[in-house]
Amino acid sequence: MGRAWYEGGRMEHKENTFTDFIACARHLLTRAIAQPAGLAGRGGSAGGLLMGAVANQAPELFTALVAEVPFVDCVTTMLDDTLPLTVGEWEEWGNPIADEEAYRRMLRYSPYDNVRGHEDDGGARSYPDLFVTAGLNDPRVAYWEPAKWVAKFRAVSPTTKVLLRTELGAGHGGPSGRYDAWKEEALVQAFLLEAFGLAEGPPALPG
C-alpha cells in the first residue's frame, strides 16, 4: 500500500489502525455482508494489540476475538528499555520515557490499561468472548503481557468468557511442526464455532 499508508498507521497516527478496523466491521454490518452478532476478529502480536483496542473501543460489534501473543501492555513494555526489543520499537510506537505525549498517546489505546467493567453510564460493560495465547519462550511479547491482561478481564468482567492458552515450549510464532500448528488452529476454530453457537455437543450416551 505504499509508504504513506504505512506512515498513516504508526506513531501519532497509530489509532487509525483501530478506527479503520472498526469502520470496516460497521461497513460489513451496514451492507448486510455480516449479520449482527456474527462477527469475529483475529490478530497476533501487534495485531493482538488491535484486537485488544477493538475490544475496548467497540465491544458491541464482535461476538468473539482471538488475540495471539498479543502486545497488550504496550505502555509498561515501552517504558522498560532493558527488554530486548523495546528500544528498536520506539521508532514504531514512540519513546514514552523521553516523550510525554508518546506516553499519553499509548495510554489512551493500551488494551490492558483500558479494560473496565462499566460503561460511562454505570451499566456493566459487555465484552466479546476472548481466546488469548502466550508463549513461555516468546522474546517479542513476554508471556506476562497476555497473562495479566486476561487476569484483569476476569477481575473486572467475570461474565466474559476469556480463555488463555500458554505454550510452554513455544515462542512468538506458536508451536512448531505441521501437526502442532494444525492442533492450535483447530482450537481456535472450535472456540469460534462455540462462540457462534455452531459447535456440536457430545454424542448422547446409549441407554
Side-chain angles (χ1 to χ4, degrees), residues 22-78:
I22 291 167
C24 288
R26 290 197 169 117
H27 176 75
L28 292 173
L29 294 169
T30 300
R31 296 291 298 273
I33 298 168
Q35 298 177 355
L39 275 182
R42 183 178 185 181
S45 195
L49 182 148
L50 170 61
M51 295 301 103
V54 164
N56 290 324
Q57 294 179 19
E60 74 283 357
L61 295 179
F62 298 90
T63 296
L65 295 171
V66 178
E68 296 165 295
V69 291
F71 179 46
V72 286
D73 191 19
C74 49
V75 174
T76 302
T77 294
M78 290 293 100

Side-chain angles (χ1 to χ4, degrees), residues 31-188:
R31 296 291 298 273
I33 298 168
Q35 298 177 355
L39 275 182
R42 183 178 185 181
S45 195
L49 182 148
L50 170 61
M51 295 301 103
V54 164
N56 290 324
Q57 294 179 19
E60 74 283 357
L61 295 179
F62 298 90
T63 296
L65 295 171
V66 178
E68 296 165 295
V69 291
F71 179 46
V72 286
D73 191 19
C74 49
V75 174
T76 302
T77 294
M78 290 293 100
L79 284 171
D80 188 349
D81 59 6
T82 67
L83 295 173
L85 296 183
T86 291
V87 174
E89 287 294 309
W90 284 341
E91 294 184 4
E92 295 296 321
W93 309 91
N95 178 356
I97 297 174
D99 183 349
E100 182 179 352
E101 175 52 33
Y103 171 83
R104 295 187 180 280
R105 182 171 67 238
M106 283 184 209
L107 196 61
R108 283 196 299 269
Y109 63 71
S110 169
Y112 174 78
D113 292 293
N114 288 283
V115 173
R116 53 194 174 98
H118 296 87
E119 301 289 357
D120 293 337
D121 62 6
R125 165 162 277 208
S126 178
Y127 280 101
D129 291 350
L130 289 165
F131 184 88
V132 184
T133 68
L136 186 62
N137 300 311
D138 189 342
R140 297 189 180 189
V141 176
Y143 67 88
W144 57 77
E145 284 200 39
K148 68 187 285 190
W149 185 50
V150 165
K152 189 170 186 180
F153 263 117
R154 291 175 176 170
V156 305
S157 184
T159 59
T160 300
K161 181 186 291 183
V162 187
L163 305 180
L164 172 64
R165 176 176 173 81
T166 303
E167 289 287 346
L168 300 182
H172 197 63
S176 60
R178 179 172 55 178
Y179 295 110
D180 285 339
W182 286 353
K183 290 177 183 177
E184 180 82 6
E185 184 62 24
L187 280 173
V188 171

Side-chain angles (χ1 to χ4, degrees), residues 12-31:
E12 68 270 22
H13 307 299
K14 184 60 191 173
E15 292 196 58
N16 288 340
T17 307
F18 318 135
T19 54
D20 284 358
F21 192 88
I22 291 167
C24 288
R26 290 197 169 117
H27 176 75
L28 292 173
L29 294 169
T30 300
R31 296 291 298 273

